Amino acid sequence: MKLITTLTAAGALSVAAVGASAQEKVAISDLNWTGAKAIAHVIKTVIEGPLNSEAEIVEGLSDQAIIGAGMDKGDGSADVWTDMWMPNQQAPWDKYIEDAGTVAHNQPYAGTQQMYVPSYMADQIKSFEDLKDPAVAAMFDKDGNGKGEYWAGDASWKSTKIWQVKMKSYGLSELWEPEVISDATFKAQLKTSYGNQKPILFYYWTPEWIHAAYDITPLAEPEHTEGCMNLQLDGEDWLEVSEAGCKTPDAQIFVSYSKSLEERNPPAAKFLSQIQLDPNTVNEWILAIGRDEMDPQDVAEEWVAENMDIVETWIN
C-alpha cells in the first residue's frame, strides 16, 4: 500500500513536472502594420490572462523569412506569425505548412480589395457599369477637365497600377482619371468629403479603420474567373498590355504557429488553432490604435475583458 501511494505521488509529481515544462513562453511576431500589431497584442493578452501562461512580442521580429524559419525550427525563437496573408505568402506556406508540416494555422478571415463610394451615394452608384454614365463621372470631376477622379492609391503600391488597369479594362478611361496620392492625403480628403456629403470614389481594402469610422459601400463588379486577369506591370507599357476585367480575389488571412507548441505549450497551441478573427472587430482595433492612437496593449486588454464569451470559444 505504501508503495502504491509512493508511486501515485511520484506519478502526480511527474505529471506536474511535465505540465510545468510544457508551458514555455510563446514568441510572437512583431509585424509592423496596425492590424498585425493589434492581433499580436490580443494573442499575448489571452495567453497571459485566461491561459495563465507567458508570451512575448519579440521586438523587431518582422522579417517574414526569419519568422517562418523560426517556426519551422521550433526552438522558441519565433512561434506565431500573427497576420499571414495568402496567397501573398505562398512560398513559406508551401515550404513549412504543406511540405515540412512544421507550421499549423487557424481558420482565416477574408481580406478584400474593392472600389468604394460613401453609402450616402450608394443609391446612385452601385456598380462599375454605373460609372459609364457621363453624368455620373461629371459628379466626381474636381478640376473641370471633363473626367471624374478616383483614388487609385499611393505611387509606390502595385495595387495602384492594378486599379488603373481595371478602369481601362472596364472601358472607363475616357471618363475617369486616377488620383495617385498618399494614404494620409486621401484620408484627409475622405474626411472632408464625408463631412460635406460630397462625391468621392476610392480604392480601399479590409481590414482597415475607415470601415469602422465611415459607412461606405463597395461597387459590384464581375466575379473573378480563370484568365480574367493578365497583369504585366513591370514594363513601360504596363497599362496597355495588362487586363483585369474582374473582381480581385479575396486574400485569406491566417494566424500561423509552430507545431512545436503542441509539446512546448499545449494550451497555447490549442488556442492558436481555434482563434477566429472577425474582420469588423479587427477594423475596430485598427481604428483605436491607428486613428485614435491608443496603446495596443490597452486596446487588447479592454477587448478581452469585455468579450470573454468569445475568448472562451478560442481556448476551450
Side-chain angles (χ1 to χ4, degrees):
M1 183 70 176
K2 182 178 180 182
L3 177 59
I4 294 173
T5 304
T6 302
L7 288 173
T8 303
L13 287 172
S14 176
V15 170
V18 171
S21 66
Q23 292 289 318
E24 291 184 22
K25 181 187 289 187
V26 178
I28 303 169
S29 63
D30 187 26
L31 300 173
N32 57 16
W33 55 92
T34 308
K37 287 184 178 295
I39 294 167
H41 282 272
V42 169
I43 289 172
K44 178 176 181 288
T45 298
V46 172
I47 291 173
E48 293 185 335
L51 291 184
N52 195 30
S53 189
E54 291 185 89
E56 176 187 7
I57 299 172
V58 181
E59 186 175 354
L61 184 58
S62 59
D63 186 308
Q64 295 171 9
I66 294 174
I67 296 167
M71 293 193 303
D72 177 55
K73 286 188 292 185
D75 61 358
S77 60
D79 292 318
V80 185
W81 188 328
T82 53
D83 212 32
M84 189 177 192
W85 285 64
M86 286 292 293
N88 305 44
Q89 306 300 332
Q90 192 68 54
W93 181 279
D94 291 345
K95 185 174 182 179
Y96 302 123
I97 294 175
E98 295 293 338
D99 296 339
T102 54
V103 174
H105 59 83
N106 71 335
Q107 290 297 311
Y109 70 95
T112 63
Q113 299 184 68
Q114 295 176 277
M115 191 68 74
Y116 290 87
V117 293
S119 292
Y120 54 75
M121 301 194 70
D123 60 337
Q124 304 172 65
I125 304 164
K126 297 180 173 65
S127 71
F128 280 84
E129 282 297 310
D130 295 328
L131 302 182
K132 295 178 179 178
D133 184 343
V136 169
M139 296 167 58
F140 296 82
D141 182 2
K142 298 179 182 180
D143 56 14
N145 70 349
K147 290 188 174 186
E149 282 84 21
Y150 67 95
W151 185 57
D154 183 273
S156 65
W157 299 348
K158 178 180 177 181
S159 57
T160 303
K161 287 185 174 181
I162 292 174
W163 279 103
Q164 293 175 70
V165 173
K166 278 180 170 259
M167 295 296 275
K168 180 206 74 170
S169 300
Y170 289 139
L172 296 168
S173 298
E174 296 300 316
L175 288 175
W176 295 87
E177 61 185 1
E179 279 192 307
V180 181
I181 55 178
S182 72
D183 184 44
T185 301
F186 159 71
K187 282 175 176 169
Q189 289 187 356
L190 178 62
K191 182 178 180 180
T192 299
S193 296
Y194 207 94
N196 295 320
Q197 301 283 283
K198 296 292 186 181
I200 186 168
L201 178 68
F202 55 95
Y203 154 66
Y204 227 82
W205 60 91
T206 58
E208 243 292 352
W209 65 253
I210 72 166
H211 299 278
Y214 301 105
D215 187 7
I216 60 178
T217 300
L219 302 190
E221 57 183 315
E223 290 298 320
H224 186 91
T225 57
E226 186 174 354
C228 69
M229 284 190 171
N230 176 25
L231 299 173
Q232 304 177 50
L233 303 177
D234 295 331
E236 291 185 5
D237 59 347
W238 59 269
L239 184 58
E240 290 74 22
V241 300
S242 296
E243 291 294 329
C246 59
K247 185 178 180 181
T248 303
D250 291 349
Q252 298 295 300
I253 309 171
F254 296 83
V255 173
S256 61
Y257 61 95
S258 175
K259 289 188 77 173
S260 68
L261 286 173
E262 294 172 1
E263 299 295 331
R264 296 168 40 232
N265 195 323
K270 182 180 180 182
F271 154 54
L272 293 166
S273 73
Q274 296 182 159
I275 184 173
Q276 183 67 62
L277 297 170
D278 173 63
N280 292 328
T281 300
V282 178
N283 291 337
E284 293 284 353
W285 295 341
I286 296 171
L287 177 69
I289 298 166
R291 189 197 69 176
D292 299 341
E293 300 182 345
M294 291 180 62
D295 183 272
Q297 189 60 35
D298 292 341
V299 172
E301 290 177 0
E302 181 178 321
W303 186 87
V304 169
E306 293 176 355
N307 293 275
M308 279 304 300
D309 56 332
I310 295 174
V311 174
E312 290 288 338
T313 68
W314 295 348
I315 63 178
N316 291 326

